[in-house]
Amino acid sequence: MLINTDPRTSFFQRAAPVLPFLCCVAAFLLTFFSIKAIWVSGPWQIDGPNPADWSAIWIALTASLCLTGLCLFSMRSGILSLPGVLQFFFIIVFLGAAANLIWQFSDLIAYGDSKHFTKYLRNNQVFPRWFLGTAIMTRLYQFVWTPLGSHLPETLSSGDGFIRISGALLMGVSSFVFLRVYGSRLALLVPLLTPVWLMFCSGYNEYYPFIAFIYLGFLFVLSSDLSKRPPVFVAAISSLLCISYTAFVPVGILLIVCYALSTSIKKALAALLFTGLICISAIILLWPEAITSFASEYRDALNLGEKNTHYLAYKGQSAGNATPFFKLSYALSFEHILHLCFMFFFSTGAVPVLLLALALTGHFKKDLLAEFARTKAVIFLVSALLFQLCYFLLLIPKLGPVKDIDLFFSVYLTVGFAAGFAGDRFLDMISAETRDIWRNCVVGSCIGSSAVILAHLLWSGILPS
């Protein structure tokens, strides 16, 4: 029998039971003091909510330590695996969100176009930019939810209540299914534990909770062996992306391009043809007006140029009336880069970036970085990441960096997924026992960081008064 005589490894294994707790507390404190530093150093001249309420901070710390402890206890006692604990966690999150919707325990801070989705439901209107989601949800609201209204609690019978409970349910179910299918992969756990994903689980009145799971599923498909996928499967995913959200159209095209690189041009053209047929069929079936009106209304919904730019600093910074993007000089300006860092931090935290750096450093030290970087899955993920970073840099958040902080959720999920993917590949190179310790530490860090950010995002506010 081999005996490990390395004192560093021996100490690491002896400290294993407390390391995730230490990582959780360290990430919590690092994030908390980073927020304080951001408030002190940033030239924040934006109207926003009040600064941190200490009761919310203490509740967040207690909750993060309890969840970390529950994960460790359940795994060590054999009651539940790590994915099982997190499945239970997302069930509790949904029940908490539902209870809050019904009994109004806490008025959570809203971001984005929180009133627009409700308006579309009331008016039985399909919004072209959110085509598939609004087409389905308006019909469900009109033909299912409204007749049930008299039997529901008053807070749920309205369009606002329908969106919030449906979004929370979809986020909870999708999280549960992802954990069931992909288990304890960091490529899944890191995105699921980001602040933006957890915020969408809270009963969030926006369109994004209805499409976040589609994008995360796309990332798993993109990083899988596409050569084994039939054209119809790729077409189903790409068409779902294209008709669910305008910003996903380039992503759907990227999937077909990556499919061509994995298989053949012939199969990719077949996937492209099927994608077009599915999209056209969906528009014919679900668009409530004359089909000829779809193109013009779709263009009007794109918010091109200065249209609907409410944030004063972004007025006059558009690249032109035919584009939704900043002019390059402002996109690369210090003020805008500062806003992007602000948005990224409060939606993702620092843990995914640190994990990505540590994983790549581990590959480099083992002389496997070049081999890792040449795999098709990595090349495709890097392509998606570069596209999302360009999108992050150039697209105008019309409501400003606070109100539109959720606009770039696909950027945050891509970074989290890429960090987890690199972390998984690094963990595959080390022993099983050490692998579990590292994974638990990453999960504890994600929980601690996200807890303090959520306390600010949903309760206390993310800007100093």
Side-chain angles (χ1 to χ4, degrees), residues 218-233:
F218 153 76
L219 291 174
F220 276 106
V221 171
L222 187 68
S223 60
S224 66
D225 187 356
L226 286 175
S227 64
K228 296 180 180 179
R229 307 289 189 180
V232 173
F233 175 85

Side-chain angles (χ1 to χ4, degrees), residues 163-183:
I163 291 169
R164 290 179 185 275
I165 195 69
S166 300
L169 178 62
L170 187 57
M171 289 297 297
V173 169
S174 61
S175 300
F176 189 95
V177 172
F178 276 127
L179 287 163
R180 187 66 177 256
V181 174
Y182 295 106

Side-chain angles (χ1 to χ4, degrees), residues 125-294:
Q125 179 183 356
V126 177
F127 185 50
R129 201 168 75 230
W130 304 344
F131 173 70
L132 184 63
T134 51
I136 293 173
M137 295 302 292
T138 52
R139 285 164 171 80
L140 287 175
Y141 178 68
Q142 296 293 332
F143 298 114
V144 178
W145 200 257
T146 300
L148 293 174
S150 59
H151 305 288
L152 296 170
E154 183 179 353
T155 51
L156 293 184
S157 61
S158 65
D160 178 80
F162 175 61
I163 291 169
R164 290 179 185 275
I165 195 69
S166 300
L169 178 62
L170 187 57
M171 289 297 297
V173 169
S174 61
S175 300
F176 189 95
V177 172
F178 276 127
L179 287 163
R180 187 66 177 256
V181 174
Y182 295 106
S184 58
R185 297 189 203 179
L186 290 179
L188 173 65
L189 300 183
V190 176
L192 288 193
L193 293 173
T194 52
V196 70
W197 185 276
L198 295 172
M199 181 172 72
F200 288 168
C201 293
S202 67
Y204 192 73
N205 186 348
E206 246 284 16
Y207 183 60
Y208 305 135
F210 296 90
I211 57 173
F213 77 97
I214 298 175
Y215 188 78
L216 187 55
F218 153 76
L219 291 174
F220 276 106
V221 171
L222 187 68
S223 60
S224 66
D225 187 356
L226 286 175
S227 64
K228 296 180 180 179
R229 307 289 189 180
V232 173
F233 175 85
V234 174
I237 301 299
S238 61
S239 58
L240 184 60
L241 288 163
C242 291
I243 61 178
S244 62
Y245 186 41
T246 298
F248 287 173
V249 173
V251 174
I253 296 171
L254 174 64
L255 178 60
I256 295 176
V257 171
C258 293
Y259 186 58
L261 296 174
S262 297
T263 55
S264 65
I265 296 296
K266 183 179 178 180
K267 285 189 173 182
L269 288 175
L272 182 62
L273 176 62
F274 286 135
T275 298
L277 289 174
I278 294 171
C279 290
I280 292 171
S281 300
I283 293 169
I284 292 172
L285 288 171
L286 298 175
W287 182 246
E289 303 173 26
I291 194 67
T292 53
S293 68
F294 180 79

